[in-house]
Amino acid sequence: MKILCCISHVPDTTTRIQFTADGKALDRTGVTFIINPYDDFILARAAELKEKNPSGVHVTVLCVGKNGTSSTDSVDANLRKALALGLDEAVRIDAEASDAFFVASQIAAYAKGEGFDLLMFGKESIDYNGSQVAGMVAAMLDLPFISYATSIEPQNGVAKLTREITGGKEHIECPLPLVLSAQKGLAEWRIPNVRGIMQAKSKPLHVLAPVEAKPRVQTVRHEPPPPKGSFKKIDPDKVEELVKELANKGLV
Amino acid sequence: MSAVIVWAELTEGRFKKPVFEALTAARKWADALGLPMWAVVIGDKLPEAIPTLGEYGAERVLRIVSKEFGQFSSAGYARALAALMKEKNISYAILPQTYDGRAIAPMLSIWTDAALLSGVISTPEKTDSGFTARRIAYSNKGIEWVFSAHLPLIVTLKPNSFVPEKSPRDFTEEDFSFTPEAKDWQAKVTHVEKIASDKIPLTEAEIVVSAGRGLKGPENWGLVEDLAKVLGAATACSKPVADVGWRPHHEHVGQTGIQISPNLYIAIGISGAIQHLAGVASSKNIVVINNDPEAPFFKAADYGIVGDAFEVVPRLTEAIRRYKEQHAH
Ligand SMILES: Cc1cc2nc3c(=O)[nH]c(=O)nc-3n(C[C@H](O)[C@H](O)[C@H](O)COP(=O)(O)OP(=O)(O)OC[C@H]3O[C@@H](n4cnc5c(N)ncnc54)[C@H](O)[C@@H]3O)c2cc1C
Ligand SMILES: Nc1ncnc2c1ncn2[C@@H]1O[C@H](COP(=O)(O)O)[C@@H](O)[C@H]1O
C-alpha cells in the first residue's frame, strides 16, 4: 500500500505574529515554523500502518514550499522530522505555497503517476484555516474525498472510516484509492525517538521543480485583529452587574 | 443571466442558522451586483421548509432531488452544484462553512474552474479588477484581506459572521434535473451515530459555557451545566479536560478542537493558553471567571470576574435565573 502524507509548514501558535510593513505577508523573522498540528495526526497514523506491515506499506511525505532563511523556518527540517517517525521518503516541491489552488495543482501533478492508495491531509492549516487543499486534490484526481476523518482502517483495498459531522459521526466504507483530511482522533500524536531521527538523516528527500499553475487568490494585506480594550472588571459579589451588561447587549 | 447562489444545506430536513447567514450575505452581495439571489436545495426529498428561503431573500429556489442525496457524498453534492452552475452560467456562489460545506466547496471550485475564498467573514466587495473579502488568519492574531480577479468565485462563509436578516421575496421554484453517477458515491455511509441530540451543537450555539482544569474534577460539572441551562447555552471544555476524560472529546475547543465564534463565551477556570484562544478568541463577547488575576485569558476578555468559580458560578446562575423570571412575559 502506497501512502502520501501532505504536510504544511505553519507558524507555531505560540509565536508572536507580525506583518511586513506593507501588510502583505507574515514577517518571518524569529518565527518558528512547525508541521501543521492536524498533519501530525496523519503522520502518526501512517507510522502506525507502517509499523503493522513494514514491508507492505510505503509512506511518502510531501510539502510544497521554499526553505526560509533561518533554521526555524526550514521545510526540509520539518520533512526530516516527519521521516523520523519511521516513514520512507520525502518530497519537497520547490515553490512558494501561494494559494490553495497552486498547492493542490502541485500535489495532484506529483501524485498522478505514483499510484497512491491513500492520500492524507490535515483538515485545515492553522495559518488561514482554509480547508481547501485536500478537496481540491481529490477533485483534480477524481477520487473519493472523506473530510474530517477521525479514524481509518484500510484492508484489502477497502477502508473503514469515521467522519465527524455536526452532532455526531458517520461510519463510512470506501474503496481505495481515496483522499482524506484528518480531524483529531485519527491517531495519537507521536514524538520521534533518537533512532528515528538518526535514520531520517539518510532517507531520500527529493526536491522537485513546480509545474505551471496560476494562483487564483492573492493576499492584499493583513491587519491586526480589532484591539480588545481593557476588560470590564466585575466584583465577584456583584454578579448582577454582569447580568445587566449582558442583558443590555441582548445576550440573556 | 446570472445570479448569486447559495447552497441551502439541509440538516435532517431543516435549514439551520448557517444557511440563513449565507442567504443574508448573498442577498447583500446580489444587491451590490444588481443580480438576483437564488437558493439551491439538494436532497432525497423536498423539505417543507422551502418557503423560509424566500423569507431570507431568495428569489428562486432550485431543487435537485434524487434518492442518492439521502447519503452525503462530497463528490456527489459538488458534482450536482457544478452542473447547475455551468448550465445556468452562475459566477457567484456562497456555501456555509459547515462540515459538509467545507468538504464540497473545494471540489466544486475545481469542477467549475472557480476561485475559492474560504472562511470569509465579510461579503466580497467589488474593486476595479475583482473582489476582496476578509478572513481570520493566524489563530485570530490577524485579519487577512484576500483578493481574486478570477470568475466564477465561490465563497465559504464562517458561521456567526452575519446576523440573519429577513428580506422577504416572492420566489419561484424550479427543478434542476441531474443524474447522479455511482462513481461519486464510492464512499458509502454505513451508519450515523448521534451524540446527545437534545443538546445544542457547539458549532451552532449562540452562547457557550466552557470550563477547564480549574474545576478540579468531572463531578463539579453540574455548575457548568446549570449555568448553560439557564442561558440556553452549549457546553465546551479545554483540551486537558477532554484528554483526561472529564468531558467528551467533542466538547474540546481550541486549535486542535472545534473552533467557535459564538455571541457569548463564558470561560470558567481556563487559563487562556494561546492554543485555547485560537479556537474561541473570535467570540463576540468573552466573560472570564478565574481566581488568578494574572490568568492570560483576562487579556482576551470583555468582562472578567476574579474569584473562585465554585462561589461565583452558582451566584451568576441564580442572578440570571432571577433576571429571566423578572423579565419573562
Ligand atoms: C500543539 C498544542 C495544541 C493544543 N491545543 C489545545 C486546544 O485545542 N484547546 C485547549 O484548550 N488547549 C490546547 N492545548 C493545551 C494548552 O496549551 C493548555 O495547556 C490548556 O488549554 C490548559 O487548559 P486549562 O486552562 O483547562 O488548564 P490550566 O492551564 O491548568 O488552567 C486552569 C485555570 O483554572 C484556574 N483556576 C483554578 N482553580 C480555580 C477556581 N477555584 N476558580 C476559578 N479558577 C480557577 C487557574 O487559575 C488556571 O488559570 C494545546 C497544546 C499544544 C502544545
Ligand atoms: N504547502 C503545502 N504542502 C503540502 N501540503 C499542504 C500544503 N498546504 C496545505 N497542505 C495540506 O492541506 C491540508 C489543508 O490545508 P489548507 O487547505 O491550507 O487548510 C493541510 O493540513 C495539509 O495536509
Side-chain angles (χ1 to χ4, degrees), chain B residues 44 78 85 89 106 127 158 191 216 224 239 245 254 288 293 318:
Chain B
D44 57 343
M85 284 180 69
N89 228 337
T127 69
K158 190 177 157 77
H191 70 282
K216 311 285 187 290
V224 180
K239 179 170 186 288
V288 172
E318 200 35 52

Side-chain angles (χ1 to χ4, degrees), chain A residues 68-249:
Chain A
T69 47
S70 75
S71 63
T72 58
D73 181 9
S74 164
V75 174
D76 287 350
N78 278 340
L79 285 168
R80 295 254 179 240
K81 229 176 257 168
L83 290 176
L85 294 171
L87 312 181
D88 297 291
E89 60 179 319
V91 172
R92 179 165 65 82
I93 297 176
D94 193 18
E96 215 59 69
S98 47
D99 82 337
F101 175 75
F102 177 86
V103 170
S105 301
Q106 303 308 321
I107 297 172
Y110 170 77
K112 208 153 230 163
E114 294 286 322
F116 291 110
D117 301 287
L118 182 56
L119 295 89
M120 297 203 280
F121 296 77
K123 75 158 201 203
E124 64 190 16
S125 294
I126 60 163
D127 47 5
Y128 297 106
N129 309 95
S131 281
Q132 299 188 11
V133 173
M136 286 183 180
V137 171
M140 287 169 177
L141 298 173
D142 214 348
L143 293 176
F145 172 43
I146 290 111
S147 63
Y148 280 88
T150 49
S151 71
I152 175 156
E153 206 55 72
Q155 204 170 35
N156 304 326
V158 180
K160 286 200 160 87
L161 305 103
T162 51
R163 169 176 184 257
E164 189 173 286
I165 53 171
T166 313
K169 64 180 173 186
E170 287 176 349
H171 292 254
I172 293 172
E173 266 181 42
C174 185
L176 301 176
L178 66 84
V179 174
L180 71 75
S181 73
Q183 169 64 312
K184 186 183 78 148
L186 195 79
E188 288 292 326
W189 279 340
R190 289 190 168 200
I191 300 164
N193 57 31
V194 177
R195 196 164 139 256
I197 294 168
M198 293 312 289
Q199 285 173 341
K201 289 186 175 156
S202 56
K203 287 181 178 171
L205 192 168
H206 316 280
V207 179
L208 306 180
V211 295
E212 188 70 35
K214 200 165 163 282
R216 293 176 177 175
V217 176
Q218 285 87 34
T219 296
V220 187
R221 65 175 189 278
H222 293 87
E223 287 167 4
K228 280 255 171 188
S230 56
F231 66 94
K232 182 155 189 169
K233 209 165 165 176
I234 307 277
D235 186 324
D237 293 320
K238 296 188 185 135
V239 292
E240 293 73 18
E241 267 178 42
L242 177 61
V243 180
K244 211 192 261 166
E245 291 272 352
L246 297 178
N248 285 341
K249 290 189 173 177

Side-chain angles (χ1 to χ4, degrees), chain A residues 6-8 36 39 62-64 97 103 121-122 124-125 130-133:
Chain A
C6 293
I7 65 172
S8 61
N36 182 37
D39 304 344
L62 180 152
C63 183
V64 180
V103 170
F121 296 77
E124 64 190 16
S125 294
S131 281
Q132 299 188 11
V133 173

